[in-house]
């Protein structure tokens, strides 16, 4: 499931009587249907604009949920609308509501697992908050150093006149002079 705000205490998405009906199923039937709801919600959450995840064949879903009392009705309560052959999660349907409804089922089906997920989400949120604060602190420190460096550079240029570079006076390579024969002692003769 997504980060759907599982910890909020606002109004329930699913009718409590529908959830009670679902809870009267066997543990295996609840597990099977919960895994299906969770997979559907995950696919829609991760791929919100992908039509293949937003449309389910009624025949296939009814077959998968035939042993689950209230199973098909839960999909409708999660935001799916039934057309002739398909259940559609319309583009304007609320994905957060879908995830919150799946969270409600998990909280009833496996409260310990749900609590562990809630705690893990809270730890992740806290970790992300700390990381964001640390990043902001580092960015502020970088900006301060940059400002100080620019101010220092500006102050130096105002008070210290620029000096010519020593490199301008350097010469490289050998001096080449035109060959001059050594003075001779006289003509060689004969």
């Amino acid at each position: 499931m997504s980060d759907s705000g599982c910890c909020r205490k606002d109004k329930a998405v699913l009718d409590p009587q529908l959830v009670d009906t679902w809870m009267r199923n066997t543990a295996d039937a609840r597990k099977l249907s919960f895994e299906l709801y969770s997979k559907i919600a995950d696919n829609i959450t991760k791929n919100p604009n992908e039509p293949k995840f937003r449309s389910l064949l009624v025949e296939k879903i009814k077959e998968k949920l035939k042993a689950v009392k209230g199973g098909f009705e839960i999909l409708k309560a999660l935001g799916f609308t039934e057309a002739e052959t398909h259940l559609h999660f319309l583009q304007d349907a609320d994905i957060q509501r879908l995830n919150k409804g799946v969270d409600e089922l998990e909280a009833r089906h496996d409260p310990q697992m749900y609590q562990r997920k809630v705690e893990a989400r809270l730890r992740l949120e806290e970790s992300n908050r700390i990381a964001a604060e640390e990043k902001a602190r580092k960015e502020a420190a970088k900006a301060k150093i940059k400002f100080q460096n620019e101010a220092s550079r500006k102050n130096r240029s105002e008070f210290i006149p620029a000096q010519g570079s020593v490199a301008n006076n350097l010469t490289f390579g050998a001096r080449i002079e035109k060959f001059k024969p050594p003075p001779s002692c006289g003509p060689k003769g004969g």
Side-chain angles (χ1 to χ4, degrees):
M1 281 171 294
S2 74
D3 297 329
S4 60
C6 64
C7 309
R8 294 180 301 181
K9 298 292 180 194
D10 48 2
K11 188 177 181 222
V13 169
L14 300 173
D15 179 349
Q17 290 179 332
L18 180 58
V19 176
D20 288 342
T21 300
W22 180 74
M23 285 299 293
R24 286 191 288 273
N25 287 293
T26 65
D28 287 342
R30 283 194 319 267
K31 181 179 182 205
L32 174 118
S33 61
F34 173 75
E35 288 172 353
L36 178 66
Y37 304 142
S38 184
K39 182 177 181 179
I40 291 168
D42 281 345
N43 285 339
I44 291 173
T45 300
K46 291 175 184 170
N47 307 287
N49 297 317
E50 185 65 47
K52 72 179 182 180
F53 295 121
R54 299 178 81 92
S55 183
L56 310 171
L57 280 171
V58 170
E59 185 179 310
K60 278 187 166 182
I61 293 299
K62 283 188 174 179
E63 179 63 30
K64 288 181 180 184
L65 297 174
K66 69 181 175 189
V68 183
K69 290 181 219 109
F72 191 75
E73 290 76 18
I74 285 177
L75 281 172
K76 290 182 181 179
L78 290 173
F80 282 86
T81 56
E82 186 174 3
E84 294 175 24
T85 59
H86 287 78
L87 278 175
H88 297 284
F89 193 78
L90 301 176
Q91 196 65 36
D92 63 347
D94 188 352
I95 293 175
Q96 286 184 335
R97 184 178 188 281
L98 168 68
N99 285 308
K100 187 175 183 314
V102 174
D103 283 346
E104 290 172 13
L105 291 174
E106 184 176 28
R108 289 285 306 273
H109 169 65
D110 191 348
Q112 293 169 337
M113 176 60 79
Y114 177 73
Q115 188 59 39
R116 286 193 296 267
K117 284 184 179 180
V118 167
E119 291 167 0
R121 286 177 185 162
L122 291 174
R123 284 191 304 272
L124 180 62
E125 287 172 8
E126 179 66 10
S127 177
N128 287 343
R129 183 190 62 76
I130 291 169
E133 287 174 358
E134 181 68 16
K135 182 178 179 183
R137 188 187 63 71
K138 286 181 179 179
E139 291 297 323
K142 273 185 184 177
K144 182 179 179 183
I145 290 170
K146 183 178 179 183
F147 175 77
Q148 288 172 340
N149 286 342
E150 288 173 359
S152 176
R153 194 174 302 122
K154 184 178 177 185
N155 286 341
R156 279 191 305 240
S157 68
E158 288 175 1
F159 297 113
I160 302 172
Q163 298 176 1
S165 172
V166 174
N168 291 336
N169 298 327
L170 295 178
T171 56
F172 295 95
R175 272 197 197 147
I176 300 176
E177 293 185 21
K178 190 172 183 179
F179 175 74
K180 294 179 189 173
S184 58
C185 296
K188 292 185 181 179

